[in-house]
Amino acid sequence: MGAALVEAGFTVITGGGPGAMEAANKGAAEAGGESIGLGIELPWEARLNEYVTFGMNFRYFFVRKMMFVKYSRGYVVLPGGLGTLDELFEAMTLAQTLKITQFPIVLMGVEHWQGLLDWMQGSMLGDGRIKQTDLDMLTLTDDVDEAVALMVEARERHG
């Protein structure tokens, strides 16, 4: 994913940690692009991964989340834990309330995300607590090319 985004002219920004974040940073760095890591001070994460070409560490999650939305043209959300959900829903809430410009939010991993989307549609949409336009912010896919194409399309549309 990181390499494909760099090849399309994007900088990759992750949380700078291990796993999927490290893979995205590695792909970006190996493709010759900028690979930014926005780390968070946690007792079990001592440093940013080795593929980050520019990194910053934050003490507070809310500051880090604002950096993500301020400097992003879109989100590609890979399977993750509570932090991933927090960042996803923060971006959706800010877009829903028009606090930021709406941008593509791509959920990579159909099998991983489908249950959450089913619950949101059945429970939250079904009870009128969200609107269909809230769910329409999300694209669910396993296709890297589709995710990158959505980012390119948004860049061309918004300049």
Side-chain angles (χ1 to χ4, degrees), residues 67-83:
M67 294 297 285
F68 276 127
V69 295
K70 180 173 176 56
Y71 294 106
S72 293
R73 291 187 171 242
Y75 273 25
V76 177
V77 187
L78 302 173
L82 293 176

Side-chain angles (χ1 to χ4, degrees), residues 2-86:
L5 287 166
V6 165
E7 290 165 4
F10 293 98
T11 296
V12 172
I13 304 174
T14 75
M21 294 177 281
E22 184 171 359
N25 289 128
K26 180 180 180 181
E30 289 180 348
E34 287 294 315
S35 178
I36 297 174
L38 303 180
I40 189 75
E41 295 175 14
L42 298 173
W44 56 86
E45 276 186 35
R47 61 176 178 76
L48 296 171
N49 71 64
E50 66 183 285
Y51 302 102
V52 169
T53 57
F54 177 81
M56 295 179 69
N57 279 303
F58 298 90
R59 181 175 177 93
Y60 299 106
F61 281 99
F62 73 93
V63 177
R64 178 180 180 229
K65 286 189 296 186
M66 286 312 305
M67 294 297 285
F68 276 127
V69 295
K70 180 173 176 56
Y71 294 106
S72 293
R73 291 187 171 242
Y75 273 25
V76 177
V77 187
L78 302 173
L82 293 176
T84 301
L85 291 174
D86 181 43

Side-chain angles (χ1 to χ4, degrees), residues 69 88-103 105 134 137:
V69 295
L88 167 63
F89 287 124
E90 180 79 18
M92 289 180 72
T93 301
L94 291 171
Q96 176 201 52
T97 58
L98 305 178
K99 298 296 182 186
I100 61 170
T101 303
Q102 288 193 349
F103 52 63
I105 302 174
D134 299 326
M137 285 189 256

